[in-house]
Amino acid sequence: MKEYNPYNQMLHTLDVAADLLGIEESDYNFLRYPERELKVSIPIRMDDGTVQVFEGFRVQHCSVRGPCKGGIRYHQNVDLDEVKALAAWMSLKCAVVNIPYGGGKGGVQVDPTTLSENELRGLTRRYTAGILPLIGPEKDIPAPDVNTNAQIMAWIMDTYSMFKGYSVPGVVTGKPLELGGSLGRPEATGRGVMFATREILKKNRKKLKGTRVAVQGYGNVGRTAATLMYKEGCKIVAIGDVSASYYCADGFDIDAVNDYWDANGGLLKGYQAPGVVEIQHNELLVCDCEVLVPAALENQITEEVAKEMKATIIVEGANGPTTHEADAVLEEKGVTVVPDILANAGGVVVSYFEWVQNIQSLMWDEDEVNRNLEKIMIRSFEEVWETAQKGDCTLRTGAYMVAMNRLVEARRIRGVFP
Ligand code: GLU
């Protein structure tokens, strides 16, 4: 079997969309090459006095439409190809929802659950110092991603500000409210996933109410999506995270799950309730449900999983959860995939609102944030839907077409330097 390479996955979809759009190779090949790739070593003094060195990355994929934008991931499997792919997906994502950003991404190869708070802060500060020449509110603006959160953004903001000599809140988004974070930002990705699910169900003349949903991943995105869909009347029939996966044919009481999760250190392991059964992780993806929300990592819905899957709709909360080999199987089976660069764009949309608020030194109320998010999600969904209908292609290809049109046009108008 060919080894999975997320960057090659991205290139594949790029070519398919370019072909449908009739774009010449020479007009879009700039999207094949990230503008900048930085690799840094991060020595930190551990609590036991020894020094350990970690590897970190920041990739700026494309700044044609504005400053680079994208999260920072802490995970033991982070490598350059993954960060490159994630950065490229950010360029495409920001273009799909038409916010004035390019794409970037960062990551550190570390399992943060093995670090103390002191070590985590040290790692974050030293990594920030390493990528300092690249970042800034007008250049490249990090945000949370897998295993990073508002506290980590606060440390990045503080470290950057110490080097500058004054406070620069706009250097990162996803900050705590006290430091210029935005209301609605922590829930934004999950809320966007809920909107995307609602819109695709509408196209199928269905409603959220009563729809049976399985959610893989119970971090910021999965938990919020499950909670908001539950509030809208969905039956959440399967949930899972690294620690355990569960199935409940009648649907989970998500409020009870969340109480357990809060008290259990942010893990699902050990959850018990009438009708709830523990299942294998790989059973979750193929369980009996109508909508599947992968909200964990890349490369989850492979060809084999796609063949076995029962859901008829996939809404990608994670980045890159479906391989292009699986996409072909799903298309053949008539499964609709709302692609990552559209479905999970709510996070970066509200990051954009946060950055705008920081630049103007003002604060929107939560209603305004959520209303504007909903407007952008619906508008983008419709654009992608129309493009896919016209092109007689999948929503993923449609989303890439919308994004590439904007990116290629911006490149054409700017021209090639020098
Ligand atoms: N990490 C999130 C994503 O993959 C959010 C990025 C951001 O807000 O800049 O879209």
Coordinates of all heavy atoms in Angstrom, one line a residue, residues 19 90 113-114 131-132 139 174 217 240 247 276 321 378 389 403 410:
D19 N -8.5 21.0 -13.4 CA -8.9 20.3 -14.7 C -10.4 20.8 -15.0 O -10.6 21.2 -16.2 CB -8.8 18.8 -14.5 CG -8.8 18.1 -15.8 OD1 -8.2 18.7 -16.8 OD2 -9.4 17.0 -15.9
M90 N -5.5 25.6 4.7 CA -5.9 27.0 5.3 C -6.0 28.0 4.2 O -7.0 28.8 4.2 CB -4.9 27.5 6.3 CG -5.0 26.8 7.7 SD -6.6 26.6 8.5 CE -7.1 28.3 8.7
T113 N 0.4 15.7 26.5 CA -0.1 15.1 27.8 C 1.0 14.6 28.7 O 0.8 14.3 29.8 CB -1.1 13.9 27.5 OG1 -0.4 12.9 26.8 CG2 -2.3 14.4 26.6
T114 N 2.2 14.5 28.1 CA 3.4 14.0 28.9 C 4.1 15.2 29.6 O 5.0 15.0 30.3 CB 4.4 13.3 28.1 OG1 4.9 14.2 27.1 CG2 3.8 12.1 27.3
I131 N 9.8 30.9 15.9 CA 9.1 31.3 14.7 C 8.8 32.8 14.6 O 8.1 33.3 13.7 CB 7.7 30.6 14.6 CG1 6.8 30.9 15.7 CG2 8.0 29.0 14.5 CD1 5.3 30.4 15.5
L132 N 9.4 33.6 15.6 CA 9.1 35.0 15.7 C 9.3 35.8 14.4 O 8.5 36.7 14.1 CB 10.0 35.6 16.8 CG 9.4 36.8 17.5 CD1 8.4 36.5 18.6 CD2 10.5 37.8 18.0
K139 N 1.4 39.6 9.1 CA 2.2 38.6 8.3 C 1.6 37.3 8.4 O 1.4 36.6 7.4 CB 3.6 38.6 8.9 CG 4.4 39.9 8.6 CD 5.9 39.6 8.7 CE 6.4 39.5 10.2 NZ 7.8 39.4 10.3
G174 N -8.0 33.3 19.0 CA -8.3 32.2 19.9 C -7.8 32.4 21.3 O -7.5 31.5 22.1
G217 N -14.1 12.0 17.7 CA -13.2 13.1 18.3 C -14.1 13.9 19.3 O -15.2 14.3 18.9
G240 N -16.7 9.4 20.4 CA -15.4 8.7 20.7 C -14.3 9.7 20.8 O -14.3 10.7 20.1
Y247 N -21.4 3.7 21.8 CA -22.6 3.8 21.0 C -23.8 3.8 21.8 O -23.8 3.1 22.9 CB -22.6 2.6 20.0 CG -23.7 2.6 19.0 CD1 -23.6 3.4 17.9 CD2 -24.9 1.9 19.1 CE1 -24.6 3.5 16.9 CE2 -25.9 1.9 18.2 CZ -25.7 2.8 17.1 OH -26.7 2.8 16.2
V276 N -25.9 2.5 26.8 CA -24.6 2.9 26.2 C -23.6 1.7 26.2 O -23.4 1.0 27.3 CB -23.9 4.1 27.1 CG1 -22.5 4.3 26.6 CG2 -24.8 5.3 26.9
P321 N -9.8 14.4 7.0 CA -10.1 13.1 7.5 C -10.3 12.0 6.4 O -10.2 10.9 6.7 CB -11.4 13.3 8.3 CG -12.0 14.5 7.6 CD -10.9 15.4 7.2
I378 N -23.5 30.1 5.5 CA -24.6 29.9 4.5 C -24.2 30.3 3.1 O -24.4 29.6 2.2 CB -25.9 30.5 5.0 CG1 -26.5 29.9 6.3 CG2 -27.0 30.4 3.9 CD1 -27.7 30.5 6.9
Q389 N -23.0 21.7 -8.4 CA -24.1 21.4 -9.3 C -23.8 21.7 -10.8 O -23.9 20.8 -11.6 CB -25.4 22.2 -8.9 CG -26.0 21.9 -7.6 CD -26.8 20.6 -7.6 OE1 -27.7 20.5 -8.4 NE2 -26.5 19.7 -6.7
A403 N -12.4 28.1 -4.3 CA -11.2 28.6 -3.6 C -10.1 29.0 -4.7 O -9.5 30.0 -4.7 CB -10.7 27.6 -2.6
A410 N -6.6 36.4 -7.8 CA -5.7 37.3 -7.0 C -4.3 37.3 -7.5 O -3.7 38.4 -7.6 CB -5.8 36.9 -5.5

